[in-house]
Amino acid sequence: MRKELQKTNIFSSKEKKNKNTDSKIKKETKLKIFGAVAVTALIIGLIITIIVMVDDNTGLNFTDDLKEYVGEPVKTAINETDVYFADESAFDAVNFITEFDYIVEDDKDVVIDGVKYPEWAIFISANDKDVITRVKYVDFRILKKNPKGVKVDSEINLDKFTMGDKYKKVAKAIDCDVFAIDYNGPSVTYEYRYYYKNDFKDEQGMTLKVVCDLEGGYTYSTSQRSIPDYVD
């Protein structure tokens, strides 16, 4: 009787051990599968993020190319870049908000106050000899968030900056989205739009323009206590 009982106990112990081992293997397998799925999802998310970032920067990339042709014939810019120059915008509203000779724009749109605009546009001005004099990038997605721009606590003051300071330092102090970048001759102007509540608790819209040299050195800034319709 004792021998049989001992055999039964040994068998039960082995069976329990095998079950525990199988359970552990299954648990480890599930963890590996979960880990693989999580890593795959992370990789896919990163790829999508990169694609979106590249797509979002298309207008800026085109602008970076075209600014090199300020002072050059329009024909040269067309022949040496893959950028299509149109005589007018495909969006009716854009043709009335500012003057330009040529335009490069995104075909995707944003709706502002019920009116369609391109997500971004590059306005190109030329003289009577068809030489490029100005290249201005405008991001209408900023206006879609709020036509008045970014809400801040008070008027932005840049008095602490002096000529020659790095634009990156100035931009960090402003801490707003750049609405427009204007390459005009020997300078580049960064345009910001923001608003704050004044002493009368009214919303005060502001247009801030930061002028720099082509090397990224701060020159001066101007503030306007009003906001143009969209582009000036």
Side-chain angles (χ1 to χ4, degrees), residues 22 38 56 73 75 77 127 130 133 150 183 216:
D22 291 343
D56 284 349
K75 186 177 181 179
N127 60 22
D130 216 26
T133 58
V150 179
Y183 293 92

Side-chain angles (χ1 to χ4, degrees), residues 37-231:
V37 171
V39 170
T40 301
L42 179 61
I43 292 172
I44 292 173
L46 288 172
I47 292 172
I48 292 173
T49 300
I50 291 171
I51 291 172
V52 170
M53 288 176 64
V54 170
D55 182 62
D56 284 349
N57 288 332
T58 300
L60 285 171
N61 291 337
F62 281 161
T63 303
D64 197 48
D65 289 338
L66 293 174
K67 69 180 175 58
E68 301 299 328
Y69 291 92
V70 174
E72 298 289 332
V74 172
K75 186 177 181 179
T76 301
I78 293 173
N79 290 337
E80 295 184 0
T81 67
D82 295 326
V83 183
Y84 172 71
F85 285 43
D87 294 327
E88 61 179 25
S89 172
F91 300 85
D92 290 338
V94 176
N95 295 312
F96 298 100
I97 60 176
T98 189
E99 294 183 358
F100 60 90
D101 295 295
Y102 303 95
I103 187 170
V104 178
E105 62 186 358
D106 193 13
D107 54 2
K108 295 192 291 290
D109 65 77
V110 294
V111 178
I112 305 170
D113 294 335
V115 180
K116 286 186 178 182
Y117 296 87
E119 287 197 349
W120 54 263
I122 304 170
F123 299 95
I124 301 163
S125 300
N127 60 22
D128 54 0
K129 294 182 179 179
D130 216 26
V131 171
I132 297 175
T133 58
R134 182 187 191 192
V135 172
K136 183 172 184 177
Y137 168 80
V138 176
D139 192 338
F140 288 94
R141 292 168 295 189
I142 304 299
L143 291 180
K144 181 180 175 164
K145 295 177 184 177
N146 191 331
K148 295 189 294 293
V150 179
K151 183 179 180 180
V152 298
D153 294 330
S154 60
E155 184 173 350
I156 296 174
N157 189 318
L158 300 179
D159 288 347
K160 66 179 180 179
F161 296 102
T162 59
M163 185 179 294
D165 285 341
K166 294 296 183 181
Y167 166 69
K168 287 184 178 180
K169 288 177 59 179
V170 180
K172 188 175 181 180
I174 296 171
D175 194 27
C176 294
D177 294 323
V178 177
F179 163 66
I181 306 175
D182 187 357
Y183 293 92
N184 191 354
S187 64
V188 53
T189 301
Y190 299 90
E191 184 176 323
Y192 299 85
R193 293 188 179 183
Y194 69 92
Y195 68 99
Y196 64 95
K197 286 193 175 181
N198 58 27
D199 295 337
F200 301 100
K201 304 302 179 182
D202 295 323
E203 289 185 353
Q204 177 63 63
M206 300 291 294
T207 297
L208 172 63
K209 294 184 179 182
V210 178
V211 181
C212 300
D213 59 39
L214 297 181
E215 302 301 319
Y218 174 72
T219 305
Y220 65 91
S221 63
T222 62
S223 290
Q224 180 180 344
R225 290 181 179 274
S226 63
I227 295 178
D229 288 339
Y230 288 118
V231 185

